[in-house]
Structure formats: C-alpha cells, structure tokens
Amino acid sequence: MENESNGIIQNVVQYSAGGTIAALGYQMLSTLVGDLSASTSTLATSASSENIDSSDGSNNTMDSIKTNNVLTKSMAWLNWGRRSSPTQYSSSGFDKEHSLPLFTLQDVTFHDMHHDCWIVLYDRVYDVTSFLSSHPGGDEVMLEYAGHDATLAFRSVGHSKEAEESLKPYLVGILVESERIWTRFSNMKSDIP
Ligand code: HEM
C-alpha cells in the first residue's frame, strides 16, 4: 500500500513538473509569436498609413518598410557584419604608376550606401561620399551606382570638362588589371578624361 501511494505521488510530481515545463515552453513561444505578430502589424500599419499620407503621390511603402520594422533592424546588424570587412585596405596590391591601392569590383560593392559611397569611373575607384550632397545632378542618380561601375551613366549625361576635372580629389584606387575595360586596350585610352 505504501509502495502504491509512493508511486502515485511520484507520478503526480512528474506530471506537474512536466506540466510546468510545458507551460513555460508555451509561454516563451507565445511571447515570441506575440512579438512577431506585433511587429508585423506595426509594419502593415506604418506602411499603409505612409502610403495614404504621401502628399507627392509616390509609393513610400518600401521606404517605410526599410525604416520602421524589426526585420530591417536585424538586417542592419547583418550588414554591420558585412561592412566590417576591411575593404578600405586593399588585399589586391598597389598600383605603382598612380601610387594608389588596387581594388576589385567586389571590394567596391561593399561601399554602396549614402554614408559610404564608392563608384568606378574609367577603371578608377572614387570615394564620392562627401560629394553626394553637392553633386549638381543630385545624390539620387549617383546613389543608383553606389558600389558599382558608373562610367556609362557618367558618359551618357555628357558631363563637362569641369565635371571630369572635379573627379580628381575623390580618387582612392585603381581597378585590378583583369577587371579593367577602358585602360586595358590602347585604342580606348584616348576616350578617357
Ligand atoms: C564623381 C562623379 C561625378 C561628378 C564629379 C559629377 C559632376 C557633375 C557636375 C559638375 C555636373 C554639372 C554639369 C556639368 O558640369 O557637366 C553634373 C551634373 C549631372 N550629373 Fe554628375 N557627376 C558625377 C557622377 C554622376 C553620375 C554617376 C551620374 C549618373 C547618372 C551623374 C548624373 C548627372 C546628372 C543627371 C546631371 C545633371 C545634368 C543637367 O542637369 O544638365 N553624375 N555632374
């Protein structure tokens, strides 16, 4: 009899311990789900209200998503990891002719933001971050090419000789030889400012 009641007590204790753990698990899960749905609804609300408020009629949904939601903030942390790559310091060597570091196109892609904007023009790498706000054509057109080769866009605008001259202070490096287009072939060199 005593054994039997001990067994029952043991079962009750085990059952309640299991129940407590399950309850704790459930609570943690629902907190998580709660957080997620709260952020999703905040996202939906902010996105739709910005759309309605938009006075210039433009679609601000993506801007809103970019700035307001938890997912984007997490992405910023991921980006922080990506951006801590030491690409200002070239691992591809040094160009003796220009006394400048050599960069690959991939190195340049790391600098694709308003506060850190590099572009490639005529196989040369320019850090135009400080020039963005004073560009006569506006910062948006340049930001479209942030982290990329902008030579064709630059040429298609028909920039003046003064514009070409004003590039010089922003030069930070040269493309590695295997990725050059304009300076690789002698018949194209005359086209380069
Ligand atoms: C570091 C690179 C750049 C520099 C130094 C620069 C400089 C200038 C300057 C000085 C002007 C005034 C007009 C002129 O003198 O030609 C201008 C206008 C303009 N630029 Fe740039 N620019 C650069 C890159 C770009 C890029 C990548 C684009 C991409 C499309 C662009 C698009 C324009 C546009 C649309 C205008 C206005 C043209 C007009 O209203 O007549 N620029 N830029």
Side-chain angles (χ1 to χ4, degrees):
M1 183 63 191
E2 202 181 314
N3 270 355
E4 200 180 318
S5 65
N6 272 351
I8 293 170
I9 291 170
Q10 209 176 344
N11 276 346
V12 169
V13 169
Q14 272 176 358
Y15 180 79
S16 22
T20 312
I21 290 169
L24 272 174
Y26 175 78
Q27 196 164 2
M28 281 167 72
L29 199 67
S30 55
T31 312
L32 263 175
V33 172
D35 276 357
L36 202 63
S37 49
S39 66
T40 318
S41 61
T42 314
L43 169 65
T45 323
S46 59
S48 58
S49 63
E50 276 210 21
N51 259 350
I52 294 162
D53 290 341
S54 169
S55 52
D56 61 357
S58 62
N59 185 342
N60 282 334
T61 308
M62 283 316 291
D63 290 348
S64 165
I65 288 172
K66 279 181 195 158
T67 49
N68 290 336
N69 84 81
V70 175
L71 287 177
T72 308
K73 282 174 189 153
S74 323
M75 287 305 288
W77 277 101
L78 291 176
N79 260 349
W80 178 82
R82 186 167 80 93
R83 260 151 238 299
S84 55
S85 302
T87 53
Q88 292 91 321
Y89 309 105
S90 166
S91 54
S92 304
F94 196 75
D95 184 283
K96 286 191 188 128
E97 188 190 335
H98 299 91
S99 300
L100 284 169
L102 291 167
F103 291 111
T104 62
L105 285 168
Q106 197 189 7
D107 291 334
V108 178
T109 63
F110 285 92
H111 307 271
D112 61 350
M113 304 191 101
H114 198 276
H115 66 272
D116 177 18
C117 178
W118 288 13
I119 58 170
V120 174
L121 291 173
Y122 299 103
D123 302 338
R124 300 170 195 139
V125 181
Y126 295 90
D127 179 351
V128 292
T129 315
S130 60
F131 176 67
L132 284 175
S133 53
S134 47
H135 178 226
D139 59 353
E140 299 250 317
V141 279
M142 288 187 74
L143 276 169
E144 272 181 46
Y145 296 92
H148 294 93
D149 192 313
T151 315
L152 292 180
F154 183 83
R155 285 168 68 88
S156 70
V157 171
H159 282 92
S160 63
K161 281 268 164 258
E162 290 73 49
E164 289 172 3
E165 279 298 306
S166 61
L167 281 171
K168 287 180 181 163
Y170 309 105
L171 186 65
V172 291
I174 310 289
L175 272 193
V176 290
E177 197 171 356
S178 59
E179 293 181 352
R180 290 178 201 163
I181 304 171
W182 301 90
T183 49
R184 199 166 183 181
F185 307 104
S186 54
N187 60 341
M188 282 165 92
K189 283 191 177 159
S190 59
D191 227 13
I192 302 170

